[in-house]
Every structure is written in structure tokens, then in C-alpha cells.
Amino acid sequence: MPEQLVTDIGSRDFDNLIAGGQENITTGVVTLKGGNQYTRGTVVGLLTADGSSVIVDSSKSDGSERPYGILTDDVDTTDGDMEAVVYLTGEFNEDKLTFGGADTPGNHRQSLREMGIFIKKIG
């Protein structure tokens, strides 16, 4: 039987989340707190109590007020905590980011910049 080459490893619709070249993007893994549905582009922070991640919200004082990363994919944690991949560096379209509470990109622009995430408007 001849060897078969993999020609399709999946696909993703272009959603304009990434606003720059992909050569400067790094990723990491977080544990998302259970009981939520998160979407690609959600900015997450780390809870100081247990190190899990939730949507960033500047009105909080539990660690989640400071961004840690941006989710690479939709993640459903309805049934409990789950590991997820986040972007740790790169350039992103601020109109495609999701924040908690009443937060906007302006609430987190500086702290994201300090960690190597740059946000901007595109198109």
C-alpha cells in the first residue's frame, strides 16, 4: 500500500484577529476557570488565588484585572476547568478582542504592550 501524505491538517476562517506577521507570535497554556464559554480573542488574566484564568476585568482585584494572554480558540468550560492555548506576544486587531465588565481596549493597551502584545485598529 503506498504511503499517503497528509494534505489537509484543518482550516480556519480568516477572522482578522491577528493584525501583524505571525513570525513574532508566541503561545502558552493556561487553565481556564470552569463554568463559562470563551471565544477566540478573549483577553484573560490569572487569578492570584489558584492561578487559573478568567476573562480580564479591570474592576476586579483578584489578579484578573491584569491581562495575561489572548485565547487562540473558542473554549467551552461549562463542565469544568480546561487547559487552553493563549497568545503571549504578537499584534492583534483591537476590534476582535473580548474583555470583561465594561472594559475596552484602552483599559489594557499599556499593560498588553508591556508584555509584548500590541493592539491596533485594522481596515
Side-chain angles (χ1 to χ4, degrees):
M1 178 172 232
E3 184 176 326
Q4 291 185 342
L5 298 176
V6 176
T7 58
D8 183 11
I9 57 172
S11 63
R12 172 179 298 284
D13 291 332
F14 188 68
D15 63 3
N16 287 326
L17 174 63
I18 297 173
Q22 295 188 12
E23 63 277 355
N24 294 320
I25 291 177
T26 58
T27 59
V29 176
V30 297
T31 300
L32 290 174
K33 195 74 154 171
N36 291 300
Q37 292 184 342
Y38 300 89
T39 58
R40 171 175 160 82
T42 297
V43 181
V44 297
L46 294 177
L47 294 173
T48 53
D50 63 7
S52 63
S53 288
V54 295
I55 190 167
V56 73
D57 184 340
S58 64
S59 70
K60 305 290 185 186
S61 59
D62 58 5
S64 66
E65 69 275 11
R66 185 160 176 82
Y68 180 78
I70 299 171
L71 287 176
T72 64
D73 295 289
D74 296 345
V75 181
D76 184 352
T77 65
T78 303
D79 294 331
D81 293 1
M82 181 178 288
E83 287 191 342
V85 178
V86 292
Y87 296 115
L88 298 174
T89 62
E91 290 181 79
F92 299 91
N93 179 355
E94 67 182 56
D95 292 331
K96 297 295 181 173
L97 299 177
T98 302
F99 301 92
D103 288 4
T104 65
N107 293 107
H108 300 286
R109 186 178 310 280
Q110 184 62 35
S111 55
L112 286 167
R113 184 174 167 271
E114 290 169 2
M115 58 187 282
I117 292 178
F118 299 87
I119 59 175
K120 62 184 180 182
K121 286 195 172 284
I122 62 171

